[in-house]
Amino acid sequence: VKSGGEWISSIDIENLAVGHPAVLEAAVIAARHPRWQERPLLICVAEPGAARPCDDDLRAHMLNSVAKWWLPERIEWAQSLPRTTTGKVDKRALRELYKG
């Protein structure tokens, strides 16, 4: 994700999100932003039976490891993430779903 001319690692944000005990899986895509061109959009799937953390708690968990400007402004929660035929998260499908 290139935000305001600076690169933000989607893989690092995904790994940090999954490090939270209530997050089963996560994916980051670039979302359009009027000022910064792009910002990371975090899409999470909650652990079965776990209480979904509030977005601010999840951001606080990630803030220990990355700069504040890396944190996603939007966090969406999904029942599951779309997969390709090889089993990888289908980020193309996610971009289509969250393009607005």
Side-chain angles (χ1 to χ4, degrees):
V1 179
K2 193 168 187 179
S3 183
E6 299 288 336
W7 287 104
I8 299 172
S9 171
S10 59
I11 294 171
D12 288 348
I13 295 173
E14 291 165 356
N15 289 337
L16 288 170
V18 171
H20 190 285
V23 177
L24 176 64
E25 42 182 3
V28 171
I29 59 172
R32 293 182 193 266
H33 191 276
R35 180 174 181 191
W36 304 113
Q37 288 79 42
E38 293 180 345
R39 292 291 300 145
L41 167 61
L42 176 61
I43 304 144
C44 295
V45 175
E47 279 282 357
R52 190 181 101 184
C54 76
D55 294 351
D56 288 337
D57 288 343
L58 187 52
R59 283 187 199 93
H61 168 77
M62 293 187 286
L63 187 57
N64 294 328
S65 301
V66 296
K68 186 176 181 180
W69 62 271
W70 274 42
L71 298 178
E73 294 168 15
R74 278 181 55 203
I75 299 174
E76 298 288 335
W77 292 88
Q79 295 295 318
S80 63
L81 297 177
R83 303 281 178 180
T84 65
T85 56
T86 59
K88 294 181 178 182
V89 173
D90 190 344
K91 290 196 177 183
R92 182 174 292 163
L94 287 173
R95 285 186 205 95
E96 187 63 29
L97 283 170
Y98 294 99
K99 68 181 173 184

